[in-house]
Amino acid sequence: MKKKAIWSIVLALVVVGVCLGIFFNKRQQALPVKQNKQNAVGLSIKKNEHNNQNDNPESEQPSSSDEYSTDEWMLMGYMAYAHDNYVQSRHIKNNAELVDDVQEDLSDGDLTADKKSNTTYTLTNKFGSVDVEVEDDDVKVTDDGTTVNSKSELKEKFASYSDEIKGMTKSIKNGGNDNSTKDSKGSSNSEKSGNKDSASTSSNESIPNFSVKQLAVLAGFYRGGDESWVTDCINKTAKTKDFTVPTGTMCYGYNKKTGDYFIDGHGDDTTIVDFRREGNVLITKHNDMTGSSVDSSPMVTKKVPLSKLIAKYYSTPQQKAKVDDLANKLLDQQQYHAKVNAASKEEN
């Protein structure tokens, strides 16, 4: 009986010992698991904080200065500076015409742009040179004085013409270095110019076979910057019977000595525009009216793609009808003089 009691006690102690061993073992295993969970949470929070820092919109927002290349800011600053000069000499009426004229001058070589450093340029035309410096927040043009335009003002004036301005940067000389400048999206102007050449070739295929009269009208439009001068002169010629004062009337003719055609607004020499077509380009020559008088103002020669004239003056049904109507009314030189003589005889 005593032996049974002893074995029962021993068995009970063994069971208790095993249970205690299992309990402590599980507790020890639970402690590192709990610590690991804490570490995982800590790493996750730290990672989230890092990501939030990277996702901060303010840290990713480009500055206004990065929106355009330095070359583009320079051109915008120059155009703002030169605006009044183009109003006086070319009779532009808005920023679109200003951009067009500066683009033509760069293409024709009438205006040259030399890049002196990453932020400084010299622009030269027949009247002289100006220096342009692109600063952090503005663009400074220096000649006899200094003109400063903020980048925010320039963006407001010229943002609508960003594609044209990017195209103009290919005309900037870069001291013998690679002239292809990157635009704001990283594409080089050399790549873009290749695309434009393809587009130009495609558009040339659809250029109408214009008559001399139609070209005369387009040359006059281009000279005046808008349609009003030619429209008023031709309509006056068609309606008037009194040619004793022919100022403001118009005809077209052919100059055998130069091989050019011309339109004549019958005023001073500024109303005469010589023109001829070479392939898909219209070449015009006229007085630029920049001097104090007609005699002191130089003659300028311009080469403009017909595709550009079509886009501006002959693309819609209304524009085509207007040009065609004016061309039909436009008198050649012999018809014009016959009308003048007839009016003179009636008066006598």
Side-chain angles (χ1 to χ4, degrees), residues 8-261:
S8 297
I9 293 170
V10 171
L11 183 61
L13 291 173
V14 170
V15 171
V16 170
V18 170
C19 290
L20 288 173
I22 292 172
F23 172 77
F24 283 111
N25 184 47
K26 285 187 176 182
R27 186 175 181 189
Q28 282 297 106
Q29 290 178 354
L31 285 175
V33 170
K34 184 176 180 182
Q35 184 66 33
N36 285 341
K37 285 184 179 180
Q38 288 175 342
N39 289 343
V41 171
L43 287 173
S44 176
I45 292 173
K46 186 176 181 181
K47 185 176 181 181
N48 286 340
E49 287 175 350
H50 181 68
N51 287 341
N52 288 340
Q53 202 171 22
N54 286 342
D55 293 338
N56 185 352
E58 293 183 0
S59 65
E60 295 293 329
Q61 287 280 350
S63 67
S64 61
S65 296
D66 295 331
E67 191 168 356
Y68 301 101
S69 69
T70 307
D71 290 353
E72 292 168 73
W73 283 122
M74 178 277 293
L75 288 167
M76 287 188 272
Y78 174 77
M79 287 190 288
Y81 157 82
H83 176 271
D84 291 348
N85 293 334
Y86 277 84
V87 169
Q88 178 183 356
S89 63
R90 308 280 271 276
H91 303 286
I92 63 164
K93 294 181 173 59
N94 50 49
N95 285 333
E97 293 179 5
L98 173 63
V99 172
D100 282 348
D101 280 15
V102 172
Q103 187 175 34
E104 288 163 16
D105 287 349
L106 284 168
S107 299
D108 296 343
D110 293 337
L111 174 68
T112 59
D114 295 302
K115 191 167 187 176
K116 301 300 184 182
S117 72
N118 289 337
T119 59
T120 59
Y121 305 77
T122 297
L123 285 93
T124 306
N125 60 17
K126 60 188 175 184
F127 301 109
S129 299
V130 296
D131 295 322
V132 183
E133 182 176 1
V134 179
E135 300 179 329
D136 290 341
D137 299 313
D138 50 47
V139 180
K140 180 171 65 176
V141 181
T142 305
D143 52 3
D144 294 334
T146 300
T147 302
V148 179
N149 286 279
S150 70
K151 287 182 174 178
S152 58
E153 292 173 338
L154 295 174
K155 179 181 176 181
E156 185 176 349
K157 288 181 180 179
F158 299 111
S160 301
Y161 315 103
S162 58
D163 288 341
E164 291 87 345
I165 294 170
K166 286 176 186 176
M168 291 158 66
T169 60
K170 69 173 182 278
S171 298
I172 298 172
K173 299 176 183 177
N174 198 19
N177 297 325
D178 182 9
N179 286 337
S180 63
T181 53
K182 299 288 184 179
D183 62 25
S184 58
K185 294 182 180 179
S187 301
S188 70
N189 284 310
S190 58
E191 294 169 354
K192 284 179 171 272
S193 64
N195 294 336
K196 287 188 177 181
D197 289 342
S198 299
S200 176
T201 302
S202 175
S203 64
N204 286 343
E205 295 174 356
S206 60
I207 292 176
N209 186 22
F210 288 119
S211 67
V212 174
K213 286 185 176 183
Q214 288 172 310
L215 291 175
V217 172
L218 293 174
F221 283 1
Y222 179 63
R223 166 66 184 90
D226 61 20
E227 302 93 335
S228 60
W229 171 56
V230 175
T231 302
D232 293 345
C233 285
I234 292 178
N235 286 334
K236 181 179 178 182
T237 308
K239 292 177 182 178
T240 188
K241 293 183 179 180
D242 181 8
F243 275 83
T244 55
V245 183
T247 302
T249 57
M250 181 170 283
C251 70
Y252 80 99
Y254 178 72
N255 188 331
K256 293 181 180 180
K257 292 182 179 179
T258 64
D260 293 338
Y261 290 93

